[in-house]
Amino acid sequence: MTSYDVAIIGLGAMGSAAAYHLAKRGASVIGFDRFTPPHTMGSSHGDTRIIREAYHESPAYVPIVQRAYELWDELAGEAGETLLQQTGGVMLGAPEGETVSGAILSAEQYGLKHEVLDADEIRRRWSQFNPPDHFAAVYEERSGILFPEKCITAHLEGASKRGAEFRYGTQVSGWEKDGDGVTVHTDGGDVRVGQLLITAGAWLPGLVPELSLPIQVARQVLFWFEPAANPGAFDADQCPIYIWEYELGRAFYGFPNLGDGIKIAHHHEGRIVDPDTLDRDEVTDEDEQILRSPLSRLMPDAAGRVTRSEVCMYTNTPDQHYAIGFHPGNSSVLIASPCSGHGFKMSSALGESFAELLLDGKSRHDLLPFALDRLLA
């Protein structure tokens, strides 16, 4: 039975980044994925992801995303690909809402360059936005777009170039302690490793059933709209990325038109599903209308016909923060990052942190706010 330093289960955003950083540091790595990444079966597809610095969810994320910017730039240079496109970003909503107030909190705590705008100024700068008079916005120029399929490919190719081995189309049925290491059971045979990293996203709960993690998988639908009017206003040089908290606690997000329509989706609110039985092909009129209703009020020029839709998944913790920590019964097994729908942007930096935890026993970042322990009964 061949032995490796580290096995990784799940090679999407987090697993591919961890493989890259582990291999870069000289560890022997084997990675498993039941599909062939980048693929459309999980949470890391759909052409684009937002990256932003004034993080409204919590200031605790800011140092991680700042490091992520550096690492995306380094990876792009190595891969010879454009992985990040800066467009600026605007977070809109009622001033007391989490999106605006939280972004201001993070920006002020870390001295981030930003502007706070009222509704008149929002309309003046961006004719495509139609906020209610009481809305405000936070604008930051560093925000932009990541291209997830290219990012995952760059991480996997960089890891492979450094000796990492990947087994795609391989399903992991379980794992067990094996002396001072771990044996991973797959449909292609058993593999013994020194340490195991589980970054399986929606399939995580089934790989650690003994923990009874309070994690739910939600179906999320992505839509691409043809502009109904004023199409030039949605070009990338005219339109930032945006997050609208259109009612307190309810939000949608979107992107400029990169050539195939304006991608917009709800953040959360998807129904709870099983990743193995989820119908990824059927998108209903109800799915569209739930999004089209606020879109028609706040960005009416964007609300043309739907040209494309896709289904993905959020893997959510109860507080919608990440979950990172060693298995309470096995210090050789690191469980990482059910990201609650906002993790891709940080995957470059979190992959580095996972490598540090496995190889050094500590991370350069304070990961205590995301401790796995908080989810355990």
mmCIF file of all heavy atoms in Angstrom, residues 52-99:
data_model
loop_
_atom_site.group_PDB
_atom_site.id
_atom_site.type_symbol
_atom_site.label_atom_id
_atom_site.label_comp_id
_atom_site.label_asym_id
_atom_site.label_seq_id
_atom_site.Cartn_x
_atom_site.Cartn_y
_atom_site.Cartn_z
ATOM 1 N N ARG A 52 -13.430 40.643 -2.483
ATOM 2 C CA ARG A 52 -13.631 41.952 -1.864
ATOM 3 C C ARG A 52 -12.871 41.987 -0.556
ATOM 4 O O ARG A 52 -12.632 40.949 0.058
ATOM 5 C CB ARG A 52 -15.123 42.219 -1.634
ATOM 6 C CG ARG A 52 -15.843 41.092 -0.911
ATOM 7 C CD ARG A 52 -17.367 41.213 -0.970
ATOM 8 N NE ARG A 52 -18.017 39.977 -0.575
ATOM 9 C CZ ARG A 52 -18.350 39.635 0.662
ATOM 10 N NH1 ARG A 52 -18.095 40.488 1.659
ATOM 11 N NH2 ARG A 52 -18.930 38.494 0.943
ATOM 12 N N GLU A 53 -12.513 43.185 -0.147
ATOM 13 C CA GLU A 53 -11.626 43.334 1.010
ATOM 14 C C GLU A 53 -12.354 43.844 2.248
ATOM 15 O O GLU A 53 -12.099 43.374 3.362
ATOM 16 C CB GLU A 53 -10.477 44.288 0.651
ATOM 17 C CG GLU A 53 -9.364 44.326 1.654
ATOM 18 C CD GLU A 53 -8.200 45.178 1.184
ATOM 19 O OE1 GLU A 53 -8.375 45.959 0.222
ATOM 20 O OE2 GLU A 53 -7.121 45.069 1.779
ATOM 21 N N ALA A 54 -13.245 44.805 2.103
ATOM 22 C CA ALA A 54 -13.997 45.349 3.246
ATOM 23 C C ALA A 54 -15.099 44.343 3.581
ATOM 24 O O ALA A 54 -16.248 44.492 3.191
ATOM 25 C CB ALA A 54 -14.575 46.711 2.906
ATOM 26 N N TYR A 55 -14.737 43.329 4.323
ATOM 27 C CA TYR A 55 -15.546 42.120 4.447
ATOM 28 C C TYR A 55 -16.649 42.312 5.465
ATOM 29 O O TYR A 55 -16.412 42.396 6.663
ATOM 30 C CB TYR A 55 -14.640 40.951 4.836
ATOM 31 C CG TYR A 55 -15.054 39.672 4.174
ATOM 32 C CD1 TYR A 55 -14.848 39.487 2.804
ATOM 33 C CD2 TYR A 55 -15.681 38.671 4.879
ATOM 34 C CE1 TYR A 55 -15.252 38.328 2.165
ATOM 35 C CE2 TYR A 55 -16.089 37.499 4.250
ATOM 36 C CZ TYR A 55 -15.865 37.339 2.891
ATOM 37 O OH TYR A 55 -16.278 36.196 2.258
ATOM 38 N N HIS A 56 -17.895 42.367 4.990
ATOM 39 C CA HIS A 56 -18.987 42.708 5.902
ATOM 40 C C HIS A 56 -19.329 41.583 6.867
ATOM 41 O O HIS A 56 -19.900 41.832 7.934
ATOM 42 C CB HIS A 56 -20.231 43.161 5.125
ATOM 43 C CG HIS A 56 -20.870 42.112 4.279
ATOM 44 N ND1 HIS A 56 -21.678 41.130 4.797
ATOM 45 C CD2 HIS A 56 -20.855 41.919 2.938
ATOM 46 C CE1 HIS A 56 -22.120 40.371 3.815
ATOM 47 N NE2 HIS A 56 -21.643 40.821 2.673
ATOM 48 N N GLU A 57 -18.979 40.338 6.541
ATOM 49 C CA GLU A 57 -19.311 39.223 7.431
ATOM 50 C C GLU A 57 -18.572 39.312 8.766
ATOM 51 O O GLU A 57 -19.110 38.933 9.797
ATOM 52 C CB GLU A 57 -19.006 37.888 6.754
ATOM 53 C CG GLU A 57 -19.951 37.542 5.629
ATOM 54 C CD GLU A 57 -19.574 38.134 4.283
ATOM 55 O OE1 GLU A 57 -18.709 39.031 4.240
ATOM 56 O OE2 GLU A 57 -20.143 37.712 3.261
ATOM 57 N N SER A 58 -17.339 39.801 8.765
ATOM 58 C CA SER A 58 -16.565 39.992 9.993
ATOM 59 C C SER A 58 -15.195 40.544 9.629
ATOM 60 O O SER A 58 -14.584 40.107 8.644
ATOM 61 C CB SER A 58 -16.373 38.675 10.746
ATOM 62 O OG SER A 58 -15.425 38.824 11.795
ATOM 63 N N PRO A 59 -14.660 41.456 10.448
ATOM 64 C CA PRO A 59 -13.289 41.901 10.212
ATOM 65 C C PRO A 59 -12.262 40.777 10.316
ATOM 66 O O PRO A 59 -11.143 40.918 9.805
ATOM 67 C CB PRO A 59 -13.068 42.947 11.318
ATOM 68 C CG PRO A 59 -14.434 43.421 11.688
ATOM 69 C CD PRO A 59 -15.317 42.213 11.535
ATOM 70 N N ALA A 60 -12.612 39.667 10.951
ATOM 71 C CA ALA A 60 -11.675 38.556 11.114
ATOM 72 C C ALA A 60 -11.200 38.000 9.780
ATOM 73 O O ALA A 60 -10.124 37.381 9.699
ATOM 74 C CB ALA A 60 -12.319 37.447 11.941
ATOM 75 N N TYR A 61 -11.971 38.205 8.723
ATOM 76 C CA TYR A 61 -11.597 37.681 7.413
ATOM 77 C C TYR A 61 -10.600 38.570 6.672
ATOM 78 O O TYR A 61 -9.960 38.111 5.719
ATOM 79 C CB TYR A 61 -12.838 37.534 6.537
ATOM 80 C CG TYR A 61 -13.813 36.476 6.973
ATOM 81 C CD1 TYR A 61 -14.910 36.795 7.780
ATOM 82 C CD2 TYR A 61 -13.681 35.158 6.556
ATOM 83 C CE1 TYR A 61 -15.834 35.830 8.160
ATOM 84 C CE2 TYR A 61 -14.605 34.177 6.930
ATOM 85 C CZ TYR A 61 -15.664 34.525 7.741
ATOM 86 O OH TYR A 61 -16.570 33.561 8.116
ATOM 87 N N VAL A 62 -10.480 39.811 7.067
ATOM 88 C CA VAL A 62 -9.725 40.767 6.255
ATOM 89 C C VAL A 62 -8.270 40.354 6.051
ATOM 90 O O VAL A 62 -7.775 40.365 4.911
ATOM 91 C CB VAL A 62 -9.834 42.191 6.835
ATOM 92 C CG1 VAL A 62 -8.923 43.157 6.077
ATOM 93 C CG2 VAL A 62 -11.287 42.677 6.763
ATOM 94 N N PRO A 63 -7.517 39.973 7.093
ATOM 95 C CA PRO A 63 -6.124 39.571 6.836
ATOM 96 C C PRO A 63 -6.004 38.371 5.900
ATOM 97 O O PRO A 63 -5.032 38.275 5.138
ATOM 98 C CB PRO A 63 -5.586 39.239 8.239
ATOM 99 C CG PRO A 63 -6.473 39.973 9.180
ATOM 100 C CD PRO A 63 -7.827 39.962 8.536
ATOM 101 N N ILE A 64 -6.985 37.488 5.951
ATOM 102 C CA ILE A 64 -6.934 36.311 5.078
ATOM 103 C C ILE A 64 -7.149 36.732 3.630
ATOM 104 O O ILE A 64 -6.423 36.296 2.720
ATOM 105 C CB ILE A 64 -7.972 35.265 5.508
ATOM 106 C CG1 ILE A 64 -7.790 34.896 6.981
ATOM 107 C CG2 ILE A 64 -7.861 34.014 4.636
ATOM 108 C CD1 ILE A 64 -8.888 33.988 7.524
ATOM 109 N N VAL A 65 -8.131 37.576 3.386
ATOM 110 C CA VAL A 65 -8.385 37.978 2.005
ATOM 111 C C VAL A 65 -7.264 38.871 1.482
ATOM 112 O O VAL A 65 -6.931 38.823 0.282
ATOM 113 C CB VAL A 65 -9.767 38.653 1.865
ATOM 114 C CG1 VAL A 65 -9.786 40.076 2.356
ATOM 115 C CG2 VAL A 65 -10.249 38.597 0.415
ATOM 116 N N GLN A 66 -6.615 39.641 2.344
ATOM 117 C CA GLN A 66 -5.470 40.429 1.894
ATOM 118 C C GLN A 66 -4.334 39.522 1.427
ATOM 119 O O GLN A 66 -3.679 39.790 0.416
ATOM 120 C CB GLN A 66 -5.002 41.358 3.015
ATOM 121 C CG GLN A 66 -5.966 42.506 3.272
ATOM 122 C CD GLN A 66 -5.520 43.416 4.404
ATOM 123 O OE1 GLN A 66 -5.011 42.959 5.430
ATOM 124 N NE2 GLN A 66 -5.715 44.709 4.232
ATOM 125 N N ARG A 67 -4.092 38.444 2.167
ATOM 126 C CA ARG A 67 -3.089 37.473 1.738
ATOM 127 C C ARG A 67 -3.535 36.782 0.453
ATOM 128 O O ARG A 67 -2.708 36.491 -0.432
ATOM 129 C CB ARG A 67 -2.848 36.451 2.851
ATOM 130 C CG ARG A 67 -1.869 35.332 2.494
ATOM 131 C CD ARG A 67 -0.491 35.869 2.160
ATOM 132 N NE ARG A 67 0.442 34.774 1.919
ATOM 133 C CZ ARG A 67 1.564 34.902 1.220
ATOM 134 N NH1 ARG A 67 1.907 36.083 0.695
ATOM 135 N NH2 ARG A 67 2.362 33.861 1.053
ATOM 136 N N ALA A 68 -4.831 36.528 0.332
ATOM 137 C CA ALA A 68 -5.344 35.876 -0.876
ATOM 138 C C ALA A 68 -5.043 36.702 -2.119
ATOM 139 O O ALA A 68 -4.668 36.150 -3.160
ATOM 140 C CB ALA A 68 -6.842 35.629 -0.749
ATOM 141 N N TYR A 69 -5.209 38.024 -2.035
ATOM 142 C CA TYR A 69 -4.867 38.877 -3.178
ATOM 143 C C TYR A 69 -3.419 38.638 -3.611
ATOM 144 O O TYR A 69 -3.124 38.519 -4.816
ATOM 145 C CB TYR A 69 -5.037 40.347 -2.805
ATOM 146 C CG TYR A 69 -6.410 40.932 -3.021
ATOM 147 C CD1 TYR A 69 -7.320 41.024 -1.976
ATOM 148 C CD2 TYR A 69 -6.798 41.433 -4.257
ATOM 149 C CE1 TYR A 69 -8.576 41.597 -2.153
ATOM 150 C CE2 TYR A 69 -8.047 42.004 -4.451
ATOM 151 C CZ TYR A 69 -8.936 42.079 -3.395
ATOM 152 O OH TYR A 69 -10.173 42.639 -3.589
ATOM 153 N N GLU A 70 -2.507 38.590 -2.655
ATOM 154 C CA GLU A 70 -1.091 38.383 -2.981
ATOM 155 C C GLU A 70 -0.875 37.034 -3.660
ATOM 156 O O GLU A 70 -0.139 36.933 -4.656
ATOM 157 C CB GLU A 70 -0.255 38.451 -1.704
ATOM 158 C CG GLU A 70 -0.271 39.794 -1.003
ATOM 159 C CD GLU A 70 0.416 39.773 0.351
ATOM 160 O OE1 GLU A 70 0.776 38.673 0.824
ATOM 161 O OE2 GLU A 70 0.590 40.858 0.943
ATOM 162 N N LEU A 71 -1.514 36.005 -3.133
ATOM 163 C CA LEU A 71 -1.302 34.668 -3.670
ATOM 164 C C LEU A 71 -1.955 34.474 -5.030
ATOM 165 O O LEU A 71 -1.415 33.765 -5.889
ATOM 166 C CB LEU A 71 -1.818 33.631 -2.677
ATOM 167 C CG LEU A 71 -1.006 33.532 -1.378
ATOM 168 C CD1 LEU A 71 -1.710 32.634 -0.369
ATOM 169 C CD2 LEU A 71 0.409 33.022 -1.651
ATOM 170 N N TRP A 72 -3.126 35.094 -5.254
ATOM 171 C CA TRP A 72 -3.719 35.011 -6.591
ATOM 172 C C TRP A 72 -2.798 35.656 -7.627
ATOM 173 O O TRP A 72 -2.649 35.145 -8.745
ATOM 174 C CB TRP A 72 -5.087 35.679 -6.625
ATOM 175 C CG TRP A 72 -6.173 34.949 -5.889
ATOM 176 C CD1 TRP A 72 -6.993 35.457 -4.920
ATOM 177 C CD2 TRP A 72 -6.584 33.587 -6.069
ATOM 178 N NE1 TRP A 72 -7.874 34.495 -4.480
ATOM 179 C CE2 TRP A 72 -7.655 33.340 -5.170
ATOM 180 C CE3 TRP A 72 -6.159 32.551 -6.907
ATOM 181 C CZ2 TRP A 72 -8.287 32.102 -5.081
ATOM 182 C CZ3 TRP A 72 -6.793 31.316 -6.826
ATOM 183 C CH2 TRP A 72 -7.834 31.102 -5.917
ATOM 184 N N ASP A 73 -2.186 36.763 -7.250
ATOM 185 C CA ASP A 73 -1.273 37.436 -8.170
ATOM 186 C C ASP A 73 -0.062 36.555 -8.476
ATOM 187 O O ASP A 73 0.361 36.433 -9.634
ATOM 188 C CB ASP A 73 -0.838 38.772 -7.560
ATOM 189 C CG ASP A 73 0.013 39.593 -8.515
ATOM 190 O OD1 ASP A 73 -0.463 39.911 -9.620
ATOM 191 O OD2 ASP A 73 1.170 39.923 -8.155
ATOM 192 N N GLU A 74 0.487 35.907 -7.448
ATOM 193 C CA GLU A 74 1.635 35.015 -7.660
ATOM 194 C C GLU A 74 1.248 33.822 -8.536
ATOM 195 O O GLU A 74 1.997 33.428 -9.442
ATOM 196 C CB GLU A 74 2.174 34.521 -6.318
ATOM 197 C CG GLU A 74 2.829 35.599 -5.467
ATOM 198 C CD GLU A 74 3.257 35.070 -4.105
ATOM 199 O OE1 GLU A 74 3.266 33.825 -3.920
ATOM 200 O OE2 GLU A 74 3.573 35.892 -3.222
ATOM 201 N N LEU A 75 0.087 33.249 -8.267
ATOM 202 C CA LEU A 75 -0.352 32.093 -9.045
ATOM 203 C C LEU A 75 -0.599 32.468 -10.496
ATOM 204 O O LEU A 75 -0.255 31.712 -11.416
ATOM 205 C CB LEU A 75 -1.621 31.500 -8.420
ATOM 206 C CG LEU A 75 -2.164 30.235 -9.072
ATOM 207 C CD1 LEU A 75 -1.193 29.073 -8.901
ATOM 208 C CD2 LEU A 75 -3.537 29.874 -8.493
ATOM 209 N N ALA A 76 -1.187 33.636 -10.726
ATOM 210 C CA ALA A 76 -1.434 34.094 -12.098
ATOM 211 C C ALA A 76 -0.125 34.234 -12.867
ATOM 212 O O ALA A 76 -0.033 33.865 -14.043
ATOM 213 C CB ALA A 76 -2.191 35.419 -12.082
ATOM 214 N N GLY A 77 0.888 34.771 -12.193
ATOM 215 C CA GLY A 77 2.185 34.904 -12.839
ATOM 216 C C GLY A 77 2.780 33.564 -13.212
ATOM 217 O O GLY A 77 3.342 33.394 -14.304
ATOM 218 N N GLU A 78 2.653 32.601 -12.312
ATOM 219 C CA GLU A 78 3.188 31.267 -12.591
ATOM 220 C C GLU A 78 2.419 30.578 -13.704
ATOM 221 O O GLU A 78 3.001 29.936 -14.578
ATOM 222 C CB GLU A 78 3.133 30.408 -11.324
ATOM 223 C CG GLU A 78 3.618 28.989 -11.531
ATOM 224 C CD GLU A 78 3.524 28.145 -10.268
ATOM 225 O OE1 GLU A 78 3.782 28.668 -9.166
ATOM 226 O OE2 GLU A 78 3.184 26.952 -10.397
ATOM 227 N N ALA A 79 1.092 30.719 -13.685
ATOM 228 C CA ALA A 79 0.260 30.018 -14.658
ATOM 229 C C ALA A 79 0.196 30.732 -16.004
ATOM 230 O O ALA A 79 -0.212 30.128 -17.002
ATOM 231 C CB ALA A 79 -1.160 29.865 -14.097
ATOM 232 N N GLY A 80 0.568 32.010 -16.032
ATOM 233 C CA GLY A 80 0.438 32.777 -17.261
ATOM 234 C C GLY A 80 -1.007 33.013 -17.649
ATOM 235 O O GLY A 80 -1.352 33.083 -18.830
ATOM 236 N N GLU A 81 -1.880 33.143 -16.629
ATOM 237 C CA GLU A 81 -3.312 33.333 -16.845
ATOM 238 C C GLU A 81 -3.806 34.557 -16.080
ATOM 239 O O GLU A 81 -3.237 34.924 -15.048
ATOM 240 C CB GLU A 81 -4.096 32.113 -16.322
ATOM 241 C CG GLU A 81 -3.962 30.864 -17.167
ATOM 242 C CD GLU A 81 -4.987 30.826 -18.294
ATOM 243 O OE1 GLU A 81 -5.656 31.848 -18.533
ATOM 244 O OE2 GLU A 81 -5.112 29.758 -18.920
ATOM 245 N N THR A 82 -4.851 35.190 -16.584
ATOM 246 C CA THR A 82 -5.546 36.217 -15.816
ATOM 247 C C THR A 82 -6.533 35.515 -14.900
ATOM 248 O O THR A 82 -7.519 34.926 -15.362
ATOM 249 C CB THR A 82 -6.291 37.196 -16.739
ATOM 250 O OG1 THR A 82 -5.344 37.860 -17.573
ATOM 251 C CG2 THR A 82 -7.063 38.231 -15.922
ATOM 252 N N LEU A 83 -6.278 35.560 -13.602
ATOM 253 C CA LEU A 83 -7.131 34.897 -12.624
ATOM 254 C C LEU A 83 -8.031 35.878 -11.880
ATOM 255 O O LEU A 83 -9.036 35.475 -11.314
ATOM 256 C CB LEU A 83 -6.282 34.127 -11.607
ATOM 257 C CG LEU A 83 -5.335 33.064 -12.180
ATOM 258 C CD1 LEU A 83 -4.576 32.379 -11.050
ATOM 259 C CD2 LEU A 83 -6.084 32.045 -13.020
ATOM 260 N N LEU A 84 -7.651 37.154 -11.869
ATOM 261 C CA LEU A 84 -8.394 38.175 -11.128
ATOM 262 C C LEU A 84 -8.498 39.419 -11.980
ATOM 263 O O LEU A 84 -7.497 39.910 -12.517
ATOM 264 C CB LEU A 84 -7.668 38.480 -9.806
ATOM 265 C CG LEU A 84 -8.407 39.298 -8.740
ATOM 266 C CD1 LEU A 84 -7.719 39.100 -7.382
ATOM 267 C CD2 LEU A 84 -8.461 40.784 -9.047
ATOM 268 N N GLN A 85 -9.701 39.925 -12.109
ATOM 269 C CA GLN A 85 -9.959 41.166 -12.850
ATOM 270 C C GLN A 85 -10.544 42.189 -11.883
ATOM 271 O O GLN A 85 -11.609 41.986 -11.317
ATOM 272 C CB GLN A 85 -10.925 40.913 -13.999
ATOM 273 C CG GLN A 85 -11.251 42.156 -14.824
ATOM 274 C CD GLN A 85 -12.138 41.836 -16.014
ATOM 275 O OE1 GLN A 85 -12.225 40.688 -16.444
ATOM 276 N NE2 GLN A 85 -12.796 42.850 -16.555
ATOM 277 N N GLN A 86 -9.838 43.288 -11.688
ATOM 278 C CA GLN A 86 -10.302 44.312 -10.760
ATOM 279 C C GLN A 86 -11.355 45.182 -11.437
ATOM 280 O O GLN A 86 -11.137 45.728 -12.520
ATOM 281 C CB GLN A 86 -9.125 45.171 -10.300
ATOM 282 C CG GLN A 86 -9.483 46.199 -9.247
ATOM 283 C CD GLN A 86 -8.246 46.936 -8.729
ATOM 284 O OE1 GLN A 86 -7.167 46.366 -8.612
ATOM 285 N NE2 GLN A 86 -8.422 48.211 -8.422
ATOM 286 N N THR A 87 -12.512 45.318 -10.790
ATOM 287 C CA THR A 87 -13.608 46.117 -11.322
ATOM 288 C C THR A 87 -14.093 47.170 -10.339
ATOM 289 O O THR A 87 -14.905 48.027 -10.696
ATOM 290 C CB THR A 87 -14.815 45.223 -11.665
ATOM 291 O OG1 THR A 87 -15.261 44.581 -10.465
ATOM 292 C CG2 THR A 87 -14.459 44.174 -12.703
ATOM 293 N N GLY A 88 -13.628 47.109 -9.093
ATOM 294 C CA GLY A 88 -14.267 47.839 -8.019
ATOM 295 C C GLY A 88 -15.506 47.095 -7.560
ATOM 296 O O GLY A 88 -16.024 46.208 -8.257
ATOM 297 N N GLY A 89 -15.964 47.445 -6.372
ATOM 298 C CA GLY A 89 -17.132 46.756 -5.841
ATOM 299 C C GLY A 89 -17.979 47.677 -4.995
ATOM 300 O O GLY A 89 -17.456 48.555 -4.297
ATOM 301 N N VAL A 90 -19.285 47.511 -5.074
ATOM 302 C CA VAL A 90 -20.204 48.351 -4.313
ATOM 303 C C VAL A 90 -21.163 47.453 -3.539
ATOM 304 O O VAL A 90 -21.741 46.516 -4.086
ATOM 305 C CB VAL A 90 -20.946 49.351 -5.234
ATOM 306 C CG1 VAL A 90 -21.765 48.657 -6.293
ATOM 307 C CG2 VAL A 90 -21.799 50.300 -4.430
ATOM 308 N N MET A 91 -21.263 47.707 -2.237
ATOM 309 C CA MET A 91 -22.139 46.969 -1.337
ATOM 310 C C MET A 91 -23.267 47.902 -0.922
ATOM 311 O O MET A 91 -23.019 48.935 -0.302
ATOM 312 C CB MET A 91 -21.371 46.476 -0.110
ATOM 313 C CG MET A 91 -20.506 45.237 -0.382
ATOM 314 S SD MET A 91 -19.147 45.481 -1.545
ATOM 315 C CE MET A 91 -17.951 46.326 -0.517
ATOM 316 N N LEU A 92 -24.506 47.543 -1.251
ATOM 317 C CA LEU A 92 -25.632 48.455 -1.110
ATOM 318 C C LEU A 92 -26.689 47.892 -0.167
ATOM 319 O O LEU A 92 -26.903 46.686 -0.091
ATOM 320 C CB LEU A 92 -26.282 48.704 -2.466
ATOM 321 C CG LEU A 92 -25.387 49.113 -3.629
ATOM 322 C CD1 LEU A 92 -25.072 47.916 -4.507
ATOM 323 C CD2 LEU A 92 -26.034 50.195 -4.469
ATOM 324 N N GLY A 93 -27.365 48.814 0.533
ATOM 325 C CA GLY A 93 -28.464 48.401 1.394
ATOM 326 C C GLY A 93 -28.802 49.492 2.391
ATOM 327 O O GLY A 93 -28.257 50.607 2.344
ATOM 328 N N ALA A 94 -29.698 49.169 3.304
ATOM 329 C CA ALA A 94 -30.007 50.099 4.376
ATOM 330 C C ALA A 94 -28.769 50.299 5.240
ATOM 331 O O ALA A 94 -28.015 49.350 5.467
ATOM 332 C CB ALA A 94 -31.157 49.559 5.218
ATOM 333 N N PRO A 95 -28.534 51.514 5.730
ATOM 334 C CA PRO A 95 -27.307 51.761 6.501
ATOM 335 C C PRO A 95 -27.162 50.854 7.708
ATOM 336 O O PRO A 95 -26.036 50.523 8.097
ATOM 337 C CB PRO A 95 -27.455 53.226 6.918
ATOM 338 C CG PRO A 95 -28.357 53.831 5.897
ATOM 339 C CD PRO A 95 -29.315 52.746 5.506
ATOM 340 N N GLU A 96 -28.290 50.439 8.297
ATOM 341 C CA GLU A 96 -28.216 49.580 9.483
ATOM 342 C C GLU A 96 -28.053 48.105 9.134
ATOM 343 O O GLU A 96 -27.842 47.267 10.022
ATOM 344 C CB GLU A 96 -29.472 49.758 10.343
ATOM 345 C CG GLU A 96 -30.757 49.241 9.736
ATOM 346 C CD GLU A 96 -31.476 50.250 8.856
ATOM 347 O OE1 GLU A 96 -30.826 51.214 8.393
ATOM 348 O OE2 GLU A 96 -32.692 50.065 8.618
ATOM 349 N N GLY A 97 -28.128 47.754 7.861
ATOM 350 C CA GLY A 97 -27.994 46.366 7.450
ATOM 351 C C GLY A 97 -26.564 45.882 7.570
ATOM 352 O O GLY A 97 -25.603 46.663 7.565
ATOM 353 N N GLU A 98 -26.404 44.562 7.624
ATOM 354 C CA GLU A 98 -25.074 43.981 7.786
ATOM 355 C C GLU A 98 -24.148 44.318 6.632
ATOM 356 O O GLU A 98 -22.959 44.555 6.832
ATOM 357 C CB GLU A 98 -25.186 42.457 7.904
ATOM 358 C CG GLU A 98 -23.844 41.752 8.016
ATOM 359 C CD GLU A 98 -23.922 40.244 7.854
ATOM 360 O OE1 GLU A 98 -25.042 39.715 7.705
ATOM 361 O OE2 GLU A 98 -22.868 39.601 7.861
ATOM 362 N N THR A 99 -24.679 44.364 5.410
ATOM 363 C CA THR A 99 -23.818 44.552 4.252
ATOM 364 C C THR A 99 -23.105 45.897 4.305
ATOM 365 O O THR A 99 -21.885 45.974 4.087
ATOM 366 C CB THR A 99 -24.641 44.425 2.964
ATOM 367 O OG1 THR A 99 -25.228 43.112 2.927
ATOM 368 C CG2 THR A 99 -23.771 44.621 1.736
#
